[in-house]
């Protein structure tokens, strides 16, 4: 596997991935509003070819496939992908592959690339996003859920500010 984001591979293909698998149900519930926003933004996906970037344990890929899309999910974590495959069961769709989105090639183009917080981990986002654009059909779309800076993101910053005096 070609990898540009070695530090992210080391992180997600280790204990971080295992932690997400152990907490998958809770995390999918916690991130449910963002997942729903992606589903709404994607619109009618029936018959579309979709790449799910940073698919993790498969929640968005599985939901898109249930709506009739042909989905390939990629992630750096083997453990999360194994869990996604387990959740998929005997179905052929979606497919899951261990890959770095910054260099992933599929031998095909996509109508849509979605990412629920996976796009924010690129070491060098500009060339990674250019590469992803090259995977899209001419009228293809990129649909991302991504945290803003902590100052603009109370969900991430309020707790940190509350405990900071005690650290």
């Amino acid at each position: 596997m070609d990898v540009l984001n070695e530090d992210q591979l080391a992180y997600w293909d280790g204990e971080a991935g295992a932690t997400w698998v152990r907490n998958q149900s809770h995390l999918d519930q916690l991130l449910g509003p963002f997942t729903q926003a992606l589903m709404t933004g994607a619109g009618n996906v029936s018959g579309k070819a979709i790449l799910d970037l940073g698919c993790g344990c498969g929640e968005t890929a599985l939901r898109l496939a249930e709506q009739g899309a042909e989905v390939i999910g990629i992630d750096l974590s083997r453990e999360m992908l194994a869990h996604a495959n387990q959740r998929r069961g005997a179905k052929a769709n979606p497919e899951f592959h261990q890959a770095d989105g910054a260099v992933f090639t599929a031998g095909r183009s996509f109508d849509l690339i979605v990412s629920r917080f996976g796009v924010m981990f690129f070491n060098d986002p500009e060339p990674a996003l250019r590469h992803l654009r090259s995977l899209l059909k001419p009228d293809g779309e990129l649909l991302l859920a991504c945290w803003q800076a902590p100052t603009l993101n109370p969900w991430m910053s309020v707790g940190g500010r509350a405990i900071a005096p005690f650290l």
Side-chain angles (χ1 to χ4, degrees), residues 20 23-41 59-60 63 67 87 115-117 145 147 155:
W20 274 76
N23 295 291
Q24 172 261 310
S25 179
H26 175 70
L27 290 166
D28 284 345
Q29 182 180 14
L30 182 68
L31 298 174
F34 304 102
T35 304
Q36 187 55 47
L38 282 174
M39 296 302 116
T40 300
E59 179 70 9
T60 54
R63 289 190 53 186
Q67 295 177 27
R87 292 176 73 191
S115 180
R116 185 186 73 176
F117 304 114
W147 299 125
W155 190 86

Side-chain angles (χ1 to χ4, degrees), residues 158-167:
V158 169
R161 285 196 309 267
I163 64 169
F166 306 101
L167 296 177

Side-chain angles (χ1 to χ4, degrees), residues 58-73 81-97:
E59 179 70 9
T60 54
L62 291 163
R63 289 190 53 186
L64 291 163
E66 287 171 1
Q67 295 177 27
E70 185 179 328
V71 184
I72 294 177
L81 291 166
H83 190 67
N85 276 313
Q86 181 182 19
R87 292 176 73 191
R88 181 192 66 206
K91 299 174 189 166
N93 183 33
E95 292 178 27
F96 295 108
H97 303 279

